[in-house]
Amino acid sequence: SRKFELATPTAFGSLHHIATLHTPNLAKMSAVAAQMQASCKISASAARIPTKQSAASRVALKALGKTSSKAVFASRPASYKRVQKALTVCEAAEEDCVGIYCIPYDLKTAAGAMPDTWKKPIVVAVSGAAGQISNHLLFMIASGEVYGKDQPIILSMLGSSRSREALEGVAMELEDCLFPLLREVRIGIDAEVVFEDADWALLIGAKPRGPGMERSDLLEMNGGIFAEQGKALDKVASKDVKVMVVGNPCNTNALICMKNAPSIPPENFHALTRLDENRAKYQLALKAGIFFDKVSNVTIWGNHSTTQVPDFVNAKINGAPAEEIIGDQKWLENEFTPTIQTRGGALIKKWGRSSAASTAVSIADAIRSLVTPTPEGDWFSTAVITTGNPYGIPEDIVFSMPCKSAGDGSYEVVEGVEINDWLKTKIAASAEELTKERECVKHLFGEMGGACEIGKEDTTLPGQVEAEI
């Protein structure tokens, strides 16, 4: 990739170039591979075959040993380190690669250099990278709309064995966009490879609820996935990685992921409720007859489910209380609230699929709220761990609350927000739901006891359509 230089120059270049070389002389490729094996001293048991291979690469790599049962394909070598570790030909043998991101630019030349005003590149890992949400989000990230116009990006995209072809297609599209800030692209199906050195992990992929499936079944199925991803993050990601869980049921999935990553601070884990906040702002603006940028201080309390609580009590319109501007308490309680709670399902009925573009935009909004200072007096919604919260919400669940940030990726829960009797009752119901969900999945993070007592009613909001992880 653009961040590499070869430590051992050779006459035959890196294996990335060999593996993608189109040549009828496959016998010659085998000889080159044999030369590599001798030069690098790679044992047959240590060699790995990429998941996707050209005819030339299959022959070349056959000389290196057996096919790995843990196959990975990527658009950059797994050996990349943030300390600019040099890439050897031996390390390049580990994975396949895609397009321009395979080229080993020397950072000392103009080909690999970046403007002095740019920040140090960050690694952004995305699961469910071949899905509809990611198809919008990845291009926003690569363009600089999310992390800033001076923030170089290394995109590391996680898919499944079924989506590997689609991941290559995404990488090709990213190439064709010529994003200056996109310095590297990785694609893979192994979380421990894709999450390596991640500064941000956006966990979008999750399996949808199938016909006849109980909510407890959905929690168990997706919980196992997020437990494994948490372990991978704990093992290979930056210890200050910020994790945004989107795959539903996202609050409890975030809790499971967090509990399986004990070396990462619990406060670094978020579940996405920004889409709900955006929806609430728009509906309040529509009712008030003003543009939505005049609506502020909107909180989504609780679970990203139909028990969520869109807070109109503390919301402001042009700096004044929303209740006073709208002047219709019945509408706020009986129409506005259920409209936000069920907006996702209503969209599916109209559109025939769950929200993708608006979800991607809300992920971008949620990240921007963490990497830019919160305007004075305002706040944003994100679901975070409740330990030590000022509102008496049960401890050790991931619950959406009003937060503010200094713009360094951290946040603090805003104190002093009014909780009237109406809000208190609704917040308690959402907290009870999340507490019950926690009891259903506590075995996934090593806690025993408890019983799964959630009802059969589906309160989970629709998520990503694809069953791609």
Side-chain angles (χ1 to χ4, degrees):
S1 80
R2 295 172 178 166
K3 297 299 290 179
F4 291 96
E5 50 187 307
L6 289 176
T8 309
T10 66
F12 50 83
S14 73
L15 181 63
H16 286 290
H17 294 145
I18 292 172
T20 57
L21 181 64
H22 295 286
T23 174
N25 192 349
L26 300 183
K28 182 177 180 180
M29 292 296 295
S30 295
V32 171
Q35 180 185 354
M36 266 182 74
Q37 183 177 2
S39 172
C40 298
K41 296 182 176 58
I42 298 177
S43 67
S45 61
R48 296 198 300 176
I49 304 294
T51 302
K52 180 173 177 60
Q53 305 159 25
S54 64
S57 66
R58 285 194 296 271
V59 174
L61 289 168
K62 186 175 181 181
L64 294 178
K66 63 182 181 179
T67 301
S68 168
S69 59
K70 193 176 183 180
V72 173
F73 63 107
S75 62
R76 64 93 187 155
S79 57
Y80 172 77
K81 294 295 181 184
R82 303 274 291 288
V83 295
Q84 302 306 328
K85 175 179 177 181
L87 170 67
T88 69
V89 174
C90 303
E91 291 167 327
E94 291 187 356
E95 297 180 310
D96 203 354
C97 81
V98 177
I100 195 171
Y101 303 106
C102 310
I103 299 174
Y105 290 122
D106 186 336
L107 291 178
K108 298 175 183 178
T109 70
M114 296 182 292
D116 293 337
T117 56
W118 284 9
K119 300 175 182 177
K120 183 180 179 181
I122 58 172
V123 179
V124 181
V126 182
S127 76
Q132 291 183 29
I133 296 172
S134 295
N135 194 44
H136 297 276
L137 178 64
L138 293 170
F139 297 87
M140 297 174 68
I141 293 173
S143 71
E145 289 184 36
V146 180
Y147 292 97
K149 298 294 184 179
D150 60 350
Q151 179 59 73
I153 298 292
I154 297 167
L155 272 180
S156 195
M157 305 187 295
L158 180 65
S160 69
S161 57
R162 290 177 297 175
S163 68
R164 61 181 181 235
E165 293 276 352
L167 283 177
E168 291 190 18
V170 173
M172 291 168 66
E173 280 211 90
L174 287 165
E175 279 186 344
D176 296 344
C177 290
L178 300 179
F179 292 122
L181 289 166
L182 184 60
R183 308 308 287 182
E184 188 178 339
V185 170
R186 315 171 186 175
I187 53 178
I189 60 175
D190 182 350
E192 285 191 12
V193 173
V194 173
F195 293 166
E196 184 181 357
D197 295 327
D199 298 292
W200 288 79
L202 312 179
L203 306 184
I204 299 173
K207 292 189 176 181
R209 182 171 177 173
M213 183 182 292
E214 300 286 346
R215 282 184 62 229
S216 58
D217 297 331
L218 182 65
L219 284 166
E220 180 75 20
M221 177 176 64
N222 279 326
I225 293 164
F226 285 88
E228 291 305 310
Q229 292 185 352
K231 292 173 183 176
L233 288 166
D234 192 61
K235 185 174 181 180
V236 302
S238 163
K239 293 309 174 186
D240 194 38
V241 63
K242 305 300 189 291
V243 183
M244 182 76 65
V245 177
V246 180
N248 286 324
C250 63
N251 293 58
T252 298
N253 286 342
L255 178 70
I256 294 166
C257 189
M258 178 193 74
K259 292 289 188 178
N260 281 279
S263 68
I264 299 170
E267 61 269 21
N268 285 20
F269 290 80
H270 300 254
L272 183 74
T273 56
R274 186 54 174 267
L275 178 57
D276 306 307
E277 177 188 324
N278 289 352
R279 288 166 170 169
K281 285 182 174 179
Y282 186 83
Q283 292 301 318
L284 289 173
L286 192 65
K287 182 68 172 178
I290 53 92
F291 201 65
F292 58 79
D293 63 349
K294 299 298 188 289
V295 180
S296 64
N297 301 88
V298 173
T299 306
I300 300 297
W301 298 90
N303 199 3
H304 178 64
S305 74
T306 56
T307 69
Q308 65 176 265
V309 188
D311 181 356
F312 54 80
V313 175
N314 294 282
K316 295 180 180 179
I317 298 175
N318 278 323
E323 287 180 302
E324 293 181 8
I325 299 298
I326 291 175
D328 189 341
Q329 197 70 19
K330 183 177 179 181
W331 178 86
L332 288 167
E333 294 181 7
N334 300 328
E335 295 187 43
F336 166 75
T337 298
T339 293
I340 307 308
Q341 291 172 331
T342 61
R343 180 76 165 182
L347 187 144
I348 288 177
K349 290 180 181 179
K350 297 287 187 181
W351 185 226
R353 58 189 182 192
S354 61
S355 55
S358 58
T359 301
V361 169
S362 71
I363 297 170
D365 288 341
I367 296 169
R368 278 194 294 263
S369 290
L370 292 168
V371 299
T372 56
T374 306
E376 185 67 29
D378 202 0
W379 57 70
F380 58 89
S381 302
T382 185
V384 293
I385 192 67
T386 53
T387 303
N389 78 87
Y391 296 105
I393 297 164
E395 300 274 303
D396 211 29
I397 57 176
V398 173
F399 196 90
S400 186
M401 295 180 283
C403 296
K404 62 182 180 180
S405 175
D408 58 357
S410 67
Y411 67 90
E412 58 180 293
V413 176
V414 176
E415 299 185 24
V417 175
E418 178 189 355
I419 307 293
N420 65 11
D421 290 341
W422 189 88
L423 281 177
K424 186 176 181 180
T425 300
K426 299 293 184 180
I427 288 172
S430 198
E432 181 182 11
E433 179 180 60
L434 281 168
T435 301
K436 289 180 178 180
E437 286 186 9
R438 188 190 188 283
E439 289 297 305
C440 290
V441 301
K442 61 194 306 184
H443 63 284
L444 292 173
F445 43 85
E447 294 185 13
M448 305 304 293
C452 189
E453 298 179 348
I454 59 175
K456 294 184 177 181
E457 180 187 0
D458 183 14
T459 63
T460 305
L461 295 180
Q464 192 171 355
V465 174
E466 296 88 343
E468 293 294 350
I469 305 305

